[in-house]
Amino acid sequence: MKRMLILAGLIGATLFLIGIFVVGAMAENYDPLSQFVSELGAVGAPNAWLLNGLVLAPAGSLIALGGLGRLGQGEWLSGPLVSLSGTGFLIAGIYRCDAGCGFVDMSPAAMIHNQAAFGAFLLAILAALILTVVSLARRNGSRAAINAIAVTGMVAGLGAMMTIGLDHPLIGLSQRVFLVSFCLWLMVDSAVLLRTPRKARA
């Protein structure tokens, strides 16, 4: 059962990674370099149901299950954080941002969307950071490297988003640096857990 839950997390991360690029490619006049992923699912977006109903909500749910599987593997700190991060993406898929995903005069749904997504970002970084430290302490160099690279990518992406400004022409690229790092981390680290199931107690 634990392995099935971890596999669910791997599938969720894969769905998330592929889904955001496929839905983006289907959208007309959409620039992934300068626009948020959330704009694909915003109020009035033509294919909003694709992003929210077929990518964010199911992927978030599967990632949350994957976190529970990690808890079953003894990852008492990082497992719940991964699960909460997935829940944040699930909520972001249920509550859409306003048209254009602006940050002025936001609707209640848009505020929930943004808070859930931002919280999911921070929780994911914290989970990967904890796993990095624990893996180093246990002399598991390969797993420490996986998590350290993920932390670096996620922090770089989120840090760029917060420093360059929300109207910067590369804000979409910055967000995707985070999301790609996040998804690849879950995919690779989950695969490691499935191949060598050991209690990390992280």
Side-chain angles (χ1 to χ4, degrees):
M1 182 63 176
K2 299 171 187 176
R3 292 173 63 83
M4 291 298 294
L5 291 174
I6 294 172
L7 179 60
L10 191 158
I11 294 172
T14 305
L15 171 62
F16 201 159
L17 180 61
I18 296 174
I20 59 175
F21 286 103
V22 170
V23 177
M26 294 173 60
E28 295 184 6
N29 302 317
Y30 177 79
D31 181 8
L33 296 180
S34 64
Q35 292 180 268
F36 290 109
V37 170
S38 295
E39 293 185 52
L40 295 167
V43 174
N47 296 319
W49 65 274
L50 285 175
L51 182 73
N52 298 321
L54 298 183
V55 179
L56 288 183
S61 300
L62 290 169
I63 290 170
L65 290 174
L68 295 179
R70 288 167 175 269
L71 180 61
Q73 289 290 105
E75 296 183 3
W76 305 112
L77 293 177
S78 55
L81 292 174
V82 171
S83 188
L84 288 172
S85 179
T87 302
F89 287 116
L90 166 62
I91 294 172
I94 296 173
Y95 293 91
R96 298 188 290 170
C97 65
D98 302 325
C101 291
F103 290 83
V104 179
D105 296 326
M106 291 184 291
S107 67
M111 287 188 283
I112 293 173
H113 173 92
N114 290 328
Q115 291 168 359
F118 186 67
F121 283 21
L122 294 179
L123 290 166
I125 291 173
L126 183 56
L129 181 59
I130 290 172
L131 284 174
T132 301
V133 173
V134 171
S135 298
L136 285 172
R138 292 181 173 271
R139 300 180 184 275
N140 188 338
S142 59
R143 198 169 182 209
I146 291 169
N147 286 277
I149 292 170
V151 169
T152 301
M154 287 189 283
V155 169
L158 182 59
M161 289 174 64
M162 298 178 68
T163 55
I164 66 176
L166 299 175
D167 296 324
H168 195 278
L170 294 179
I171 188 65
L173 175 62
S174 300
Q175 186 189 44
R176 281 162 178 79
V177 169
F178 174 92
L179 291 175
V180 170
S181 300
F182 168 73
C183 292
L184 289 178
W185 162 57
L186 285 180
M187 291 163 65
V188 175
D189 195 58
S190 295
V192 170
L193 281 177
L194 289 171
R195 289 186 61 186
T196 56
R198 295 173 56 189
K199 291 190 175 182
R201 300 190 183 282

